[in-house]
Amino acid sequence: MPNTQWPRFIELLHKEVVPALGCTEPVAVALAAAHAADALGCKPENIKVLVSGNLLKNGMGVGVPGTGSTGMNIAAAVGVLGGKATRGLEVLAELTPEQAEAGRRMVEDGHVQVGIAEGSPLLYAEVTVEGGGHTGRAVLEHEHTNIVRIERDGNVLFSREQAAGENSAEAEDWPLSIAAIYEFATQAPFESISFILEAARLNEAVALEGLAREYGLQVGRTIDGNIRKHLMSDDVTTLAVKLTAAASDARMDGVMMPVMSNSGSGNQGITCTMPVVAFAMRLESGDEALARALIMSHLTSIHGKHRLGRLSALCGATIASMASACGIVMLLGGGLEQIDRTIRNMVGNVAGMICDGAKTGCAMKVASAVGAGVQSAMLAMDGMGVTRSEGIVEDDIEQCIANLARLGCDGMAQADRVVLDIMVAKS
């Protein structure tokens, strides 16, 4: 019997699991810049960008697609010059080499200024473009595509300000729980969830690209080379780590290929997907089994990120790898009991991994988290699970996830500020 909440689950998946080109923090700036440029309506001369500290942290060291460069300044410049606002997280998909070169010249000539918006939400970008005696301005907040205000010469063209208490009301009505996700993943009609297989197709393509060429730190490519040298085994765990890291290598270096994101993060989308795909390959699982496992993984990540927040001091790969481990459990024939153990094992293992910004080194964190996720799933399948007597783990799985979110949001707030101070001091 279909659950009355299932349409909301599908709606959440379509909202949170979407294609994204490039790291979503600089891409969010490019998107706001594209909207500001559209509002300006003439040749841009100067660009001013204000972002939250967390957005700056995640945009300083990551490649911007099509530019061969890193940073919020180049993201804003090419967003203004070549961005397509209607394409959302694929705003730079039609960027030309000429537009990229013009963007680099704007940055080099000092026409792009980037600063921190004090007192802003954790996810915030404001871009003002000047040209021909006019200004265009766009503001994005809370979500990577959530444009809330567009102006031309101070006149409001579009406004969607968030009402007070909107987030808390949404939290009270939140439909997901691990038990509800498992029920949906195992019982929903295959034809209603088969769309999730597109995540496997997109992210596997980027993983194979990461293995084929020299991107970033080449974490996945190095693992592949060590397998060929017989220094590492070609088991399913290594395959899962290799494919996930290779996709992250390519994405964080600015590859011009979209990945399927999760909760506004391409790396989290990759990490939700590729370990599950790797196990499905080795287990020779069919499309339906893969789709159900991917649904379990992606919805679990959405659930965890809803509690934690889109940007935090806690590395999002830990949430995503915990989620993919739940999908792996399903492929191995496990049920809700084993999924609960897997989550407790992950919370008891890698709960404190910090986020020190988006960068090529994220591929190593992804690799570490995926390895931990597979280990957690294997232990759970053998009946082993961390108990509430240990650390922040709770036997009640929803409380366990809440404890992890509390650690990331409240406990690591000072760590977040210190990380940002260290990073800004280097720039």
Side-chain angles (χ1 to χ4, degrees):
M1 177 71 69
N3 187 300
T4 56
Q5 292 286 359
W6 287 1
R8 291 192 64 190
F9 294 5
I10 293 173
E11 181 183 349
L12 276 170
L13 285 163
H14 283 306
K15 177 176 181 285
E16 301 289 2
V17 183
V18 297
L21 178 67
C23 178
T24 49
E25 275 70 55
V27 164
V29 169
L31 179 60
H35 279 284
D38 287 348
L40 178 68
C42 59
K43 184 179 179 180
E45 298 168 5
N46 294 290
I47 305 170
K48 181 180 179 181
V49 182
L50 293 174
V51 295
S52 58
N54 284 71
L55 202 72
L56 181 68
K57 181 180 74 172
N58 278 351
M60 291 174 63
V62 67
V64 177
T67 68
S69 304
T70 62
M72 292 297 192
N73 47 12
I74 186 65
V78 294
V80 165
L81 296 172
K84 301 297 181 185
T86 56
R87 298 203 60 170
L89 291 179
E90 294 182 279
V91 60
L92 299 180
E94 300 176 39
L95 184 70
T96 67
E98 294 75 20
Q99 290 166 338
E101 177 58 30
R104 285 190 289 270
R105 286 199 302 271
M106 281 196 79
V107 172
E108 291 167 2
D109 293 343
H111 294 297
V112 185
Q113 304 299 320
V114 179
I116 294 180
E118 300 293 345
S120 64
L122 288 177
L123 201 167
Y124 181 87
E126 173 187 333
V127 180
T128 303
V129 184
E130 300 174 346
H134 299 280
T135 63
R137 177 175 175 266
V139 178
L140 176 153
E141 62 182 35
H142 299 303
E143 298 178 10
H144 292 81
T145 58
N146 187 37
I147 299 292
V148 297
R149 194 171 184 87
I150 301 173
E151 300 174 356
R152 186 175 195 271
D153 295 334
N155 298 312
V156 178
L157 305 180
F158 170 82
S159 178
R160 184 174 58 201
E161 302 294 352
Q162 182 169 298
E166 183 177 317
N167 281 345
S168 60
E170 181 184 346
E172 291 172 4
D173 194 32
W174 185 244
L176 296 183
S177 67
I178 297 302
I181 293 168
Y182 177 73
E183 179 187 55
F184 176 68
T186 55
Q187 297 182 24
F190 173 54
E191 60 270 19
S192 70
I193 60 172
S194 60
F195 65 86
I196 200 67
L197 293 172
E198 181 68 3
R201 187 189 70 81
L202 282 182
N203 293 348
E204 184 179 349
V206 176
L208 294 177
E209 174 69 12
L211 291 174
R213 304 180 192 278
E214 296 179 356
Y215 290 100
L217 290 182
Q218 302 180 57
V219 177
R221 189 177 167 90
T222 299
I223 293 171
D224 191 52
N226 285 328
I227 292 171
R228 296 176 192 276
K229 296 173 187 175
H230 305 291
L231 297 175
M232 298 179 73
S233 64
D234 190 20
D235 56 37
V236 66
T237 300
T238 308
L239 177 64
V241 173
K242 177 181 77 173
L243 291 176
T244 310
S248 180
D249 282 326
R251 174 179 175 268
M252 303 311 279
D253 205 26
V255 67
M256 283 293 285
M257 296 173 67
V259 303
M260 192 67 82
S261 65
N262 183 290
S263 303
S265 168
N267 264 0
Q268 288 166 43
I270 289 168
T271 308
C272 285
T273 304
M274 290 316 301
V276 180
V277 169
F279 269 77
M281 287 177 177
R282 289 293 169 87
L283 294 170
E284 299 182 351
S285 305
D287 282 352
E288 182 170 347
L290 174 58
R292 293 188 184 282
L294 287 173
I295 290 290
M296 185 76 222
S297 176
H298 277 274
L299 277 177
T300 298
S301 188
I302 291 168
H303 183 42
K305 288 296 290 183
H306 173 78
R307 287 184 174 273
L308 181 64
R310 291 177 185 271
L311 298 179
S312 73
L314 194 68
C315 176
T318 60
I319 298 287
S321 58
M322 177 181 77
S324 64
C326 295
I328 288 169
V329 164
M330 282 185 57
L331 289 176
L332 293 172
L336 188 57
E337 180 182 349
Q338 288 76 23
I339 286 171
D340 281 6
R341 284 199 205 106
T342 298
I343 293 171
R344 286 191 277 115
N345 289 342
M346 280 296 285
V347 172
N349 185 2
V350 292
M353 186 184 290
I354 66 164
C355 172
D356 55 346
K359 59 205 176 301
T360 56
C362 286
M364 288 196 296
K365 293 192 177 188
V366 163
S368 298
V370 169
V374 173
Q375 181 187 49
S376 295
M378 297 296 192
L379 283 169
M381 290 299 295
D382 282 344
M384 257 65 91
V386 178
T387 67
R388 74 183 307 270
S389 63
E390 302 175 55
I392 67 170
V393 173
E394 272 286 354
D395 289 337
D396 180 288
I397 207 62
E398 297 303 326
Q399 186 59 50
C400 191
I401 294 172
N403 289 352
L404 177 63
R406 182 183 173 195
L407 172 69
C409 295
D410 300 335
M412 297 178 71
Q414 180 61 22
D416 207 24
R417 288 189 287 271
V418 172
V419 166
L420 182 60
D421 286 345
I422 292 171
M423 293 177 65
V424 170
K426 293 194 299 182
S427 62

